[in-house]
Amino acid sequence: MEEATIKKLMTSAKCSGCGQRYEIDDIEVIGHHDELWFMSVFCMACHAHYLVAANVDEETAGEVVTDLSVAELEKFRDADGLKADEVLDMHDFLKEFDGDFSRLFSGRKA
Ligand SMILES: [Zn+2]
């Protein structure tokens, strides 16, 4: 999976704040851990800044993505009707994660 592909996928996602679609230039790929990609996105329309985690399977590429800030992940954890496993996985991941992206993406185990 290429960064450019991920970014392209992300342009089909909308800002959870205002519904504006992201532009390629608004998306910065931070890195990935297996199929879990982290991006920083900035909405030009409402100036919201989100950390996005996308669980992207090579075979199902095109299925998007989790467009939530870390705080929102907390909020949605208990929400009714939430079926997106990747959100829950991400929550568990973040719970364990100490925020050191550089170490995460260097491939070393914590
Ligand atoms: Zn927005």
Side-chain angles (χ1 to χ4, degrees), residues 4 8 33 39 52 74 95-96:
K8 205 172 169 197
H33 185 69
M39 284 154 286
V52 177
E74 287 285 342
K95 211 164 52 179
E96 304 295 328

Coordinates of all heavy atoms in Angstrom, one line a residue, residues 4 8 33 39 52 74 95-96:
A4 N 0.4 7.4 -1.4 CA -0.5 8.1 -2.3 C -1.8 7.4 -2.4 O -2.8 8.1 -2.6 CB 0.2 8.1 -3.7
K8 N -5.4 9.0 -1.4 CA -6.5 9.1 -2.3 C -7.8 8.5 -1.7 O -8.8 9.1 -1.9 CB -6.1 8.3 -3.6 CG -6.9 8.7 -4.8 CD -6.3 7.9 -6.0 CE -7.2 8.1 -7.2 NZ -6.9 7.1 -8.3
H33 N 1.3 0.8 10.8 CA 1.7 -0.3 11.6 C 0.9 -1.5 11.0 O -0.3 -1.5 11.2 CB 1.4 -0.1 13.0 CG 1.8 -1.2 13.9 ND1 3.2 -1.4 14.2 CD2 1.1 -2.1 14.6 CE1 3.2 -2.5 15.0 NE2 2.0 -2.9 15.3
M39 N -2.9 9.1 10.0 CA -2.8 10.3 9.3 C -3.2 11.5 10.1 O -4.0 11.4 11.0 CB -3.7 10.3 8.0 CG -3.1 9.4 6.9 SD -4.4 8.8 5.9 CE -5.1 7.5 7.0
V52 N -6.3 10.6 12.3 CA -7.2 9.6 11.6 C -6.4 8.3 11.6 O -5.3 8.2 11.2 CB -7.5 10.0 10.2 CG1 -8.3 8.9 9.5 CG2 -8.3 11.3 10.2
E74 N -12.8 7.9 22.2 CA -13.2 7.7 23.6 C -14.7 7.8 23.7 O -15.4 7.0 24.3 CB -12.6 8.7 24.6 CG -11.1 8.4 24.8 CD -10.9 7.2 25.8 OE1 -11.9 6.8 26.5 OE2 -9.8 6.7 25.8
K95 N -5.1 2.8 23.9 CA -5.0 2.7 25.3 C -3.6 2.2 25.7 O -3.1 2.6 26.8 CB -6.1 1.7 25.8 CG -6.6 1.9 27.1 CD -7.9 1.1 27.3 CE -7.8 -0.3 27.0 NZ -9.0 -1.1 27.2
E96 N -3.0 1.4 24.9 CA -1.7 0.8 25.2 C -0.6 1.7 24.6 O 0.6 1.5 25.0 CB -1.6 -0.6 24.5 CG -2.7 -1.6 24.9 CD -2.6 -1.9 26.4 OE1 -1.5 -1.9 27.0 OE2 -3.7 -2.1 27.0

